[in-house]
Amino acid sequence: GAVVSQHPSRVICKSGTSVKIECRSLDFQATTMFWYRQFPKQSLMLMATSNEGSKATYEQGVEKDKFLINHASLTLSTLTVTSAHPEDSSFYICSASADRGFYEQYFGPGTRLTVT
Amino acid sequence: AQSVTQLGSHVSVSEGALVLLRCNYSSSVPPYLFWYVQYPNQGLQLLLKYTSAATLVKGINGFEAEFKKSETSFHLTKPSAHMSDAAEYFCAGAGGGADGLTFGKGTHLIIQP
């Protein structure tokens, strides 16, 4: 149980285009979803927190107009990187939390974004 | 604010030897603490978590960690290393149940045959 999927696993896009990454909780309802990015050989940095039906809360330094997050249902959150640039190339990982009381996040397998 | 520090970006042990990966946290409130493992180009797998119940936490694959408030530490141990344990390990913390995680920089565990 508690499986989180991401799609696509890898994506290459041209500079200036937009790309959408999906995060799905397959066997539970995720009240909260989180988006992280990880640069090569570095740690994960929290980008934003989203609750179903609400606007996402972005961490300091993360451009909300560039990284659009939608959490329209209890099983799906999307991250859209708008007008992507090479410096946006990274490993994007989502996680989902089912229960705000007993805390645990389940992580997706990640999406490798390369902007050329 | 929560912060997590992992001592040692690389740790090398012989197969069968004790594994000790260090993690210290700083927080003004009792934290939630986690250890995750990441294999190349994959997501994170939860090894174990501390949520203010027992201070000695047992996880998967023979790993365990002890929460020591006096030392603000949550070190990860395994009595006998296996080749399959070679991976990147992350310590993470959160101040509350609805917070995103703050990760340490990670420790790359190398297992020598």
Side-chain angles (χ1 to χ4, degrees):
Chain A
V3 178
V4 176
S5 70
Q6 279 184 245
H7 177 79
S9 58
R10 290 176 178 269
V11 58
I12 301 173
C13 70
K14 293 187 176 181
S15 185
T17 62
S18 296
V19 61
K20 179 184 288 188
I21 302 170
E22 291 186 350
C23 176
R24 292 182 184 272
S25 55
L26 299 184
D27 52 4
F28 67 100
Q29 292 185 324
T31 52
T32 306
M33 286 185 166
F34 304 87
W35 287 95
Y36 298 83
R37 66 185 298 180
Q38 183 181 30
F39 291 107
K41 300 187 184 301
Q42 294 189 29
S43 189
L44 284 77
M45 298 295 292
L46 177 67
M47 298 176 67
T49 302
S50 72
N51 294 299
E52 185 264 341
S54 302
K55 289 185 178 180
T57 302
Y58 290 82
E59 295 299 300
Q60 191 173 8
V62 177
E63 300 175 61
K64 62 181 180 181
D65 294 330
K66 181 171 185 60
F67 298 100
L68 302 179
I69 293 172
N70 184 280
H71 191 169
S73 77
L74 285 172
T75 59
L76 174 64
S77 177
T78 60
L79 168 68
T80 301
V81 182
T82 63
S83 187
H85 287 93
E87 56 265 32
D88 298 324
S89 299
S90 188
F91 195 48
Y92 292 87
I93 304 176
C94 73
S95 70
S97 176
D99 185 347
R100 300 181 190 185
F102 188 69
Y103 189 84
E104 185 162 342
Q105 292 182 27
Y106 304 97
F107 283 82
T111 296
R112 174 76 60 193
L113 170 63
T114 303
V115 184
T116 61
Chain B
Q2 179 75 236
S3 69
V4 175
T5 303
Q6 289 182 245
L7 297 176
S9 59
H10 291 77
V11 170
S12 180
V13 301
S14 299
E15 189 175 17
L18 171 71
V19 174
L20 171 61
L21 304 183
R22 300 178 187 274
C23 174
N24 289 88
Y25 69 93
S26 67
S27 173
S28 59
V29 297
Y32 296 91
L33 292 166
F34 307 81
W35 275 100
Y36 288 90
V37 61
Q38 184 181 36
Y39 296 98
N41 294 312
Q42 294 187 28
L44 277 70
Q45 181 181 11
L46 179 67
L47 286 176
L48 47 81
K49 62 184 177 184
Y50 167 77
T51 56
S52 75
T55 56
L56 181 62
V57 181
K58 293 187 182 298
I60 62 171
N61 300 340
F63 285 94
E64 64 180 39
E66 186 172 7
F67 174 75
K68 291 187 176 180
K69 186 176 181 180
S70 61
E71 299 177 7
T72 61
S73 68
F74 190 57
H75 302 330
L76 181 71
T77 61
K78 181 174 180 177
S80 177
H82 192 272
M83 295 300 291
S84 61
D85 294 327
E88 192 79 17
Y89 290 79
F90 292 97
C91 181
D99 294 345
L101 295 176
T102 299
F103 283 85
K105 291 185 179 299
T107 298
H108 187 64
L109 178 61
I110 301 164
I111 310 297
Q112 307 276 9

